C-alpha cells in the first residue's frame, strides 16, 4: 500500500510545484487519510521540501478501521498536551528551508491561519484549494473494492430488516437496528446517520428518524450505508406497508423508479455531470413535480459520504471511468409522503459492461 | 423561552458594542443554538444593527430534539439551492447600515471569511473570539434541568446493562446496546460516541470500541452520555469481571476513586480551575502515576460535550456557581488496563449543599 500513498503525494506535489509552492499542509481529515493512510484526530500532513511528515498531537490509533499511517512517512508527535499540529507543521516546513506553504483555506479556520502566520512569518501562505478533493474523484480498484464490500454489508443489513415485522416499530428503533446490523456484518460503522422515514415523512432526503411508528398503508423509505476501511457507500429504498398499495403510491413509485433508471443509464465516461442530473430530473419534471425536486440527484462517494462530483443542474465537469456516484432522485409531497430510490454505482466504459451497480437490493416495489 | 434567548442576545450585543462592532455573525452551531433556540444545518445568526436574523439554507427542522427557532427572531431562508448563509448574512448586515461585523474567527474558514469580505467589502470584519462560549459557561436552571434529565437517562441505560450477561460480548456490541437504551429512555441520541473498553484497553480515555470480548478477570470501563434537548452529560465507571478482583485492581481502583473524590470535593464557587485539577491529579501523582496522567481531569458540559472550562494544570480562571463540569481522572497502564471514574456535577455554594451530583450510579467497585 505504501507505494499508493507515495504516488498520491507525488501527484499532489507536482500540482503544488506547478503553482510555485515548495510545500503543502493538508488539514482536512479525509484528505490526510487519502495521502497518509490514516488521519489521527487533529493530525495534519506536511508535504515538505525535503521530507513528508504526519504531525499528530498524540500517538495514532492502531485499529484497522482507522487506517494505518503509511510506513514511509515519518510520524511527528507533539510533545506534552497542547499545541496545534498545523502550527507545528508550519514550523517544520520552515525548518526544511521552505519559503511557501499551500494550505487548505476551505478547511483551516481564520484563527488557525493567523496562528500559523504569526509563528512562521517568513513563510508565504498560499491556497491549495480543492486539489486533494480533485485527486480523490477517480478511485483505484482497491478503493472500489472497499466500496463494494461496504455496499454488500448495507445490502445484507437491509435484507435482514425486511424479513422482520415492521408495523408498530418506530423510525428511531429501525434506524438503530440497521446500524447494529451494519456493525454485525463487519462495517467500521454507519457511513452517515441512518434515515428511516415513514408515512408523511417518507421520501424526505436525510430525514432524521422520529418516534413515529410504522403503520399499515405507509410508504417506508430507508437510506443507509456502511463504512468499510474508511470508504462510505449509500443505498436507499422505498417500500409500502400492507398488501395493497394505493394507486397514487404505485404511480409515484413507478415515476421515481423511471427517473432513477434514466439517471443510472446516463452514467458513462465523458457524460457531463449536469446531463446525468437532467436525465433523472426531467422524468420527474415532465410529470409535474418540478416543485418537489431536490437540489441534486446524485453525488460522489468515497472517504466522505458526499464528495465531488455533484450531479446537479449547475455542476461543471464530466464523468470519468472509476468514479463512484450515487443516483438518488426522490419526490416528497408534504403531508403525504414520497419515494426515494438510491444506488451507489461505479462509472465504467460500455466495453466493460457499463456502470457497475454496487447496491443490489431489488428495486421492485415490495409490499411488506 | 423567547425572553431567555433575547436576553442572551442582548448580553452578547453589549459585549460587541463595547468593542466597537455594530453587529455580529455567529456561525458555530452550538453558539447559534444557544442564542437562537435552534441551529439548522449550516445556519448562521446575524445580530444586526436593527434586527436579528437566523439565516438558513432551507426550512428549519421542526423536531423538538433539534430545538425550535426563537419566535421573536426572523428566519431568512436563502432562495434556491446554493449560497453560503454566512455570506448572505454579511449582505443583510450591510443592508441594515452596519459598518462592522464581529465574526467567529475560530470557527469560520479562511475561504468563507474571504468570500464574506469580497461580497461586502465596505464591512469591517473583526473577531468575536470566544464571547459566546464565555456566556455559555454559567447555566440557568432550565439548562441544568436538561442536563439532569440526560444524566438520569444515562444512569438508567448503564444500570440495565449491568444486569445483563457481559462475558463473551464485544466492546462494540455493548456500546451499541447502551446507545439503543439511551434512545429508548428518551435521549435525542448519545452525547458522544459511547466508549466501552475491556482488559488491556480499560481506563483509556475516549477508547473506541473494538471487537475484543469481555473476559473473566477484566477491568471493564464504560463512558457514555445522553443528549437531552441539546444538552450533553457524561458518566464513566469501571467494573471488574468475575468474583475476585486481583490486588492490583483493587489498589488501582481505590486510588482513582480517591483522586476523583478529591476533585469532586474541590468544586466550589471561586475555586481556581487548576486547583480542582491539582486536587485530583496530586493523588495519582504522589502514588507514582505521573507518567500515566491525562491532559485534563475534567471539563465543562452543555450544548457541547467538551466546552469551557477545562480543569487542567495550565487553565486560567475560577469556577462559578451553576457551572456543570465533569470530574474524570483515570489511569491507564499500557498492556494491563486501568480505571476511569467520571461524573457530571454542577458547582453550587456550600450553603446550597455543595456540588450537585447529576450522575448517581454507584462508584463502589462492582464485580460483575
Amino acid at each position: 500500500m505504501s507505494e499508493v500513498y507515495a504516488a498520491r503525494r507525488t501527484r499532489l506535489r507536482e500540482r503544488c510545484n506547478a503553482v510555485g509552492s515548495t510545500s503543502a499542509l493538508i488539514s482536512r481529515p479525509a484528505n490526510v487519510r487519502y495521502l497518509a493512510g490514516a488521519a489521527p484526530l487533529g493530525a495534519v500532513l506536511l508535504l515538505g521540501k525535503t521530507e513528508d511528515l504526519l504531525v499528530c498531537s498524540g500517538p495514532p490509533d492502531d485499529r484497522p478501521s482507522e487506517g494505518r499511517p503509511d510506513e514511509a512517512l515519518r510520524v511527528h508527535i507533539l510533545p506534552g498536551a497542547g499545541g496545534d499540529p498545523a502550527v507545528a507543521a508550519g514550523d517544520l516546513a520552515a525548518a526544511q528551508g521552505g519559503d511557501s506553504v499551500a494550505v487548505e483555506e476551505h478547511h483551516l479556520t481564520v484563527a488557525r491561519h493567523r496562528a500559523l502566520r504569526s509563528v512562521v512569518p517568513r513563510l508565504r501562505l498560499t491556497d491549495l484549494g480543492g486539489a486533494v478533493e480533485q485527486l480523490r474523484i477517480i478511485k483505484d480498484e482497491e478503493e472500489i473494492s472497499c466500496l463494494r464490500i461496504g455496499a454488500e454489508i448495507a445490502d445484507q443489513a437491509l435484507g435482514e430488516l425486511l424479513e422482520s415485522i415492521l408495523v408498530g416499530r418506530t423510525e428511531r428503533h429501525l434506524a438503530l437496528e440497521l446500524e447494529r446490523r451494519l456493525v454485525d456484518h463487519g462495517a467500521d460503522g454507519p457511513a452517515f446517520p441512518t434515515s428511516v422515514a415513514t408515512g408523511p415523512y417518507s421520501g424526505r432526503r436525510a430525514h432524521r428518524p422520529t418516534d413515529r411508528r410504522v403503520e399499515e398503508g405507509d410508504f417506508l423509505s430507508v437510506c443507509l450505508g456502511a463504512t468499510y476501511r474508511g470508504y462510505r457507500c449509500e443505498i436507499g429504498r422505498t417500500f409500502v406497508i400492507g398488501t395493497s398499495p394505493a394507486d397514487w403510491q404505485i404511480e409515484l413509485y413507478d415515476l421515481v423508479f423511471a427517473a432513477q433508471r434514466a439517471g443510472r443509464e446516463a452514467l458513462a465516461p465523458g457524460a457531463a455531470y449536469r446531463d446525468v442530473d437532467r436525465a433523472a430530473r426531467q422524468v420527474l419534471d415532465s410529470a409535474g413535480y418540478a416543485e418537489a425536486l431536490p437540489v441534486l440527484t446524485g453525488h460522489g462517494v468515497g472517504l466522505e459520504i458526499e464528495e465531488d462530483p455533484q450531479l446537479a443542474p449547475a455542476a461543471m465537469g464530466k464523468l470519468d471511468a472509476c468514479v463512484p456516484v450515487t443516483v438518488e432522485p426522490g419526490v416528497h409531497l408534504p403531508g403525504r409522503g414520497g419515494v426515494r430510490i438510491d444506488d451507489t454505482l461505479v462509472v465504467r466504459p460500455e466495453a466493460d459492461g457499463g456502470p457497475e451497480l454496487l447496491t443490489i437490493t431489488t428495486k421492485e416495489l415490495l409490499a411488506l
Side-chain angles (χ1 to χ4, degrees), chain A:
Chain A
M1 267 312 276
S2 192
E3 309 75 51
V4 173
Y5 300 118
R8 291 174 183 170
R9 293 195 298 272
T10 300
R11 259 179 299 165
L12 182 62
R13 189 184 305 276
E14 284 161 3
R15 291 187 69 153
C16 283
N17 293 348
V19 297
S21 270
T22 51
S23 44
L25 195 163
I26 319 299
S27 56
R28 186 170 177 168
N31 291 346
V32 174
R33 180 155 184 178
Y34 182 74
L35 297 166
L41 191 65
V44 302
L45 174 68
L46 173 69
L47 292 198
K49 199 174 167 190
T50 59
E51 190 187 17
D52 297 344
L53 290 168
L54 184 64
V55 185
C56 311
S57 51
D61 196 329
D62 56 0
R63 295 176 40 207
S65 61
E66 299 303 304
R68 295 222 164 87
D70 175 8
E71 284 167 17
L73 206 55
R74 190 149 68 88
V75 177
H76 180 92
I77 299 174
L78 296 189
D84 178 345
V87 173
D91 234 355
L92 292 162
Q96 290 187 22
D99 55 8
S100 68
V101 177
V103 300
E104 299 192 292
E105 293 192 348
H106 60 299
H107 179 263
L108 219 53
T109 66
V110 177
R112 293 179 84 191
H113 194 264
R114 174 172 308 129
L116 189 57
R117 216 166 45 199
S118 75
V119 166
V120 278
R122 64 180 194 75
L123 220 52
R124 194 165 46 89
L125 299 184
T126 61
D127 185 12
L128 185 61
V132 188
E133 286 84 349
Q134 289 300 307
L135 291 179
R136 284 168 45 200
I137 292 178
I138 299 177
K139 270 71 175 176
D140 64 32
E141 289 302 325
E142 185 72 29
E143 296 179 281
I144 292 173
S145 134
C146 291
L147 287 166
R148 198 180 289 122
I149 294 169
E152 273 175 31
I153 292 171
D155 277 323
Q156 278 179 302
L158 182 57
E160 289 171 1
L161 187 82
L162 299 185
E163 287 170 13
S164 64
I165 304 277
L166 299 171
V167 171
R169 297 169 72 192
T170 69
E171 293 176 353
R172 291 219 279 186
H173 277 100
L174 294 176
L176 284 165
E177 180 172 331
L178 282 166
E179 295 190 354
R180 185 178 60 75
R181 290 184 185 279
L182 291 173
V183 173
D184 276 349
H185 289 296
D188 306 340
F192 54 89
T194 298
S195 178
V196 174
T198 61
Y201 300 132
S202 59
R204 281 178 73 177
R205 185 175 148 86
H207 170 74
R208 297 234 231 157
T210 70
D211 289 325
R212 188 181 183 285
R213 290 175 195 277
V214 176
E215 291 175 15
E216 202 66 32
D218 275 357
F219 264 142
L220 169 70
S221 349
V222 175
C223 188
L224 75 158
T227 307
Y228 185 78
R229 297 200 183 160
Y231 283 82
R232 294 161 196 267
C233 66
E234 187 175 321
I235 178 172
R237 292 290 183 269
T238 300
F239 310 101
V240 71
I241 305 297
T243 45
S244 49
D247 288 348
W248 75 272
Q249 289 179 317
I250 296 173
E251 273 166 39
L252 192 59
Y253 192 91
D254 288 348
L255 180 73
V256 174
F257 178 80
Q260 205 253 359
R261 187 179 51 203
R264 280 187 281 122
E265 289 175 353
L267 294 177
Y273 302 151
R274 58 171 61 171
D275 290 343
V276 177
D277 175 72
R278 191 191 302 130
R281 189 175 293 271
Q282 72 187 5
V283 174
L284 303 175
D285 213 356
S286 60
Y289 290 108
E291 289 301 300
L293 290 192
V295 171
L296 48 75
T297 56
H299 54 79
V301 294
L303 289 168
E304 293 174 290
I305 188 57
E306 215 169 310
E307 54 181 53
D308 294 329
Q310 283 214 333
L311 306 180
M316 301 289 283
K318 290 180 177 177
L319 287 172
D320 277 297
C322 300
V323 175
V325 293
T326 67
V327 177
E328 48 170 313
V331 170
H332 172 74
L333 307 173
R336 291 183 84 187
V339 176
R340 297 191 67 76
I341 303 174
D342 183 351
D343 279 313
T344 302
L345 305 100
V346 181
V347 177
R348 303 280 192 189
E350 217 188 302
D352 294 349
E356 178 189 350
L357 182 68
L358 301 188
T359 45
I360 60 170
T361 297
T362 181
K363 288 185 282 280
E364 271 181 86
L365 175 53
L366 296 185
L368 303 172

